[in-house]
Amino acid sequence: MTAQLPALPILVADDDAAVRSTLRIFLNSEGLDCELVASPAEALAALARREFGVMLADMNYSRDTTSGAEGLSLIAQANAVDPQLPIIAMTAWGTVALAVEAMRGGASDFIEKPWDNNRLASMLRNLLALRQTRQANQRLAARNQLLSAEGQSERPWIAASPAMQSLMAQVERLKDAGVNLLITGENGTGKSQLAQAIHRASVRAQAPFISVNMGAIPDTLFESEMFGHEKGAFTDARQTRIGRFELADSGTLFLDEVGNIPLNQQAKLLQVLEGGQFERLGSAKLRRADVRLIAASNADLAQMVELGSFRRDLLYRLNSVQLHLPPLRERGADIVSLAEHYLASHARRYQRPAKTLSPAASEALLQHHWPGNVRELAHCMERVSLLVQQQLVEPADLGLNGATAPVATAAFDAGELTLEEAEVILIRTALKRAGGNAPQAAQALGLSRSAFYRRLEKYRL
């Protein structure tokens, strides 16, 4: 039985010291850790402090009563603290009516004293598996909701150029090392796509990849977003929320634009990275998550350390190994392939006819400097997909060298775009005019930083 069970301990609540001692010997013989308490109050305090796999709860704690009322009350309160916790009700005064009442009250099973060790072992095996399934289902539902909201999807990684081949050789050596990685590079080089490629190539590929844009998290919601919160932890906490660390358990947690983390929140992140433990907001219960951390930044974090806006110790934690993503102008062999990929992708997204780059258009792409890197190339192909009528794309259709704004304006005047398409073009234009500076672009559009980043995530920009 031992090898099949999770490591979560068993909570035993019974006022009889002999029963507690006997159960400790039995559970230890099964390879299970346990915590022993003598009263409902102690049991509830233990549940508030840590997680358990199953609770074995006596139904009676006072010598002058055998009604089971104390046990029924404990079961109800334990369910309120941890709704996923399987509970086995125990009593020496077992009746069918009390067993039924305990099950209706939230117990998962019922056993009489003295118990049969084989039957109890079978119960524990099944309920520990149930606990694990419930937790996995809760995480899966939260992950699916998050991925659906953020529109994440797998994208092909194009890396034929020598600069990228050298980088991918590094990735190949590091993919399964499990060390924290820091990806650096200019705006728009594809740092998040590289992080996903690393995850898909690693031994964690079947586990979740959870991405967090640190610039999109308001300072007041940092702990809730990263570590989760309990129902009622603050005014608007109407239900329990699983944080990003917990969602990424067994997988990869990607912190994009890590230089945007406010200084007062950096200490909280560092504490989790150093100790491997965290608490949901509104709970004192310690939790663990096994994650591979990848961070990314276009800022010079070392310079930020010298300026006092980024913690040196946090940088050391994030920067076990640094990978530098080259700008698009150094990836000549990838440009046309990337353009064709984005052209086809946007045609599918907007349900427009497929288009082909002419040899002259391909040459024009190769000659352009691409200050906005891969993001600028993706924007260019999006405009072509939306605005160019003919099937063969020529150099004049690309809107390079300052031709972007007039073309977009003409499209607005024609009234041919949907609201979503128009908003995308407005965001693209604001980013271009701001030189890729997201906060400046947000200010130009009259949006808060977090609202602007939410739109970037919504449209997968």
Side-chain angles (χ1 to χ4, degrees):
M1 167 175 168
T2 304
Q4 301 176 20
L5 293 178
L8 287 175
I10 308 300
L11 177 61
V12 176
D14 197 295
D15 63 324
D16 190 326
V19 170
R20 296 196 302 272
S21 178
T22 301
L23 280 171
R24 188 209 316 259
I25 294 170
F26 165 71
L27 293 171
N28 289 344
S29 73
E30 293 291 330
L32 295 171
D33 187 19
C34 63
E35 182 169 339
L36 311 177
V37 297
S39 69
E42 291 178 27
L44 293 172
L47 288 172
R49 188 177 62 252
R50 64 190 294 197
E51 280 191 293
F52 293 92
V54 176
M55 179 169 73
L56 287 163
D58 189 22
M59 297 299 290
N60 296 293
Y61 295 85
S62 302
R63 295 183 181 275
D64 57 349
T65 180
T66 59
S67 68
E70 293 168 301
L72 293 172
S73 176
L74 172 58
I75 290 170
Q77 292 180 80
N79 274 322
V81 173
D82 187 350
Q84 296 181 345
L85 177 68
I87 300 172
I88 298 175
M90 303 186 301
T91 183
W93 306 90
T95 66
V96 173
L98 183 57
V100 170
E101 195 171 356
M103 299 286 278
R104 285 177 176 171
S108 302
D109 214 328
F110 189 94
I111 195 166
E112 292 184 68
K113 304 174 187 175
W115 59 84
D116 177 84
N117 280 347
N118 290 332
R119 181 166 182 264
L120 181 56
S122 176
M123 265 188 207
L124 289 171
R125 181 183 300 110
N126 293 334
L127 292 178
L128 284 166
L130 174 65
R131 168 69 155 173
Q132 191 175 47
T133 301
R134 285 175 175 175
Q135 289 180 318
N137 288 342
Q138 185 185 35
R139 287 195 298 267
L140 181 61
R143 286 167 185 160
N144 288 341
Q145 184 179 17
L146 176 66
L147 295 179
S148 175
E150 295 183 350
Q152 289 187 15
S153 60
E154 292 190 2
R155 302 178 185 179
W157 188 250
I158 296 170
S161 62
M164 289 302 297
Q165 285 292 301
S166 175
L167 175 63
M168 297 314 289
Q170 286 183 277
V171 169
E172 181 63 27
R173 292 192 294 271
L174 296 168
K175 64 181 183 181
D176 293 329
V179 297
N180 293 342
L181 300 176
L182 176 63
I183 303 174
T184 61
E186 296 178 8
N187 273 325
T189 48
K191 295 183 285 294
S192 63
Q193 284 77 21
L194 177 59
Q196 290 185 57
I198 293 171
H199 171 73
R200 292 197 297 269
S202 75
V203 293
R204 297 174 181 256
Q206 300 306 312
F209 175 89
I210 301 297
S211 176
V212 191
N213 188 324
M214 305 309 296
I217 301 178
D219 192 10
T220 55
L221 295 180
F222 180 85
E223 289 183 80
S224 174
E225 288 286 339
M226 299 303 296
F227 313 128
H229 65 247
E230 296 293 341
K231 181 179 179 181
F234 49 87
T235 303
D236 293 328
R238 297 183 178 88
Q239 60 185 8
T240 297
R241 178 185 180 127
I242 300 176
R244 305 299 178 95
F245 267 92
E246 207 168 342
L247 289 176
D249 190 26
S250 302
T252 301
L253 179 63
F254 175 56
L255 305 183
D256 199 7
E257 299 199 39
V258 72
N260 284 333
I261 303 176
L263 193 61
N264 63 316
Q265 305 292 4
Q266 292 176 22
K268 297 172 185 175
L269 177 61
L270 177 65
Q271 184 178 10
V272 175
L273 296 181
E274 287 181 335
Q277 296 180 323
F278 61 93
E279 298 171 358
R280 287 181 184 169
L281 198 62
S283 170
K285 186 183 298 183
L286 286 175
R287 301 174 186 273
R288 289 183 176 273
D290 171 25
V291 302
R292 202 259 183 95
L293 190 70
I294 303 179
S297 177
N298 65 307
D300 187 338
L301 296 182
Q303 184 180 36
M304 292 179 65
V305 168
E306 297 304 320
L307 294 173
S309 58
F310 202 85
R311 293 180 62 110
R312 188 182 301 275
D313 44 6
L314 177 57
L315 177 58
Y316 290 155
R317 279 286 173 183
L318 297 173
N319 193 17
S320 297
V321 178
Q322 182 172 321
L323 298 174
H324 182 71
L325 194 52
L328 187 58
R329 59 184 173 273
E330 297 177 9
R331 299 175 55 187
D334 299 331
I335 291 175
V336 175
S337 296
L338 283 166
E340 291 172 341
H341 159 67
Y342 283 117
L343 196 59
S345 176
H346 290 311
R348 290 192 299 270
R349 179 181 179 185
Y350 295 117
Q351 298 181 339
R352 301 296 172 93
K355 295 177 175 62
T356 304
L357 295 168
S358 71
S362 295
E363 183 60 28
L365 293 175
L366 292 171
Q367 295 301 318
H368 188 61
H369 187 63
W370 299 112
N373 293 297
V374 177
R375 182 179 295 135
E376 182 186 357
L377 177 61
H379 297 176
C380 177
M381 294 302 102
E382 185 171 28
R383 289 195 307 273
V384 168
S385 179
L386 286 170
L387 304 175
V388 174
Q389 300 300 313
Q390 70 275 12
Q391 188 270 335
L392 189 64
V393 179
E394 297 294 348
D397 300 321
L398 298 175
L400 302 176
N401 302 319
T404 302
V407 173
T409 302
F412 277 115
D413 293 341
E416 296 176 354
L417 301 181
T418 66
L419 179 61
E420 177 181 309
E421 293 167 355
E423 189 168 29
V424 167
I425 289 178
L426 280 172
I427 292 172
R428 305 289 201 203
T429 303
L431 279 168
K432 184 176 179 65
R433 289 175 178 170
N437 186 310
Q440 187 177 329
Q443 185 177 15
L445 292 172
L447 297 171
S448 67
R449 187 186 70 173
S450 57
F452 184 73
Y453 276 110
R454 283 197 297 271
R455 282 169 171 79
L456 294 182
E457 291 179 354
K458 175 183 177 182
Y459 298 127
R460 289 177 274 178
L461 306 183

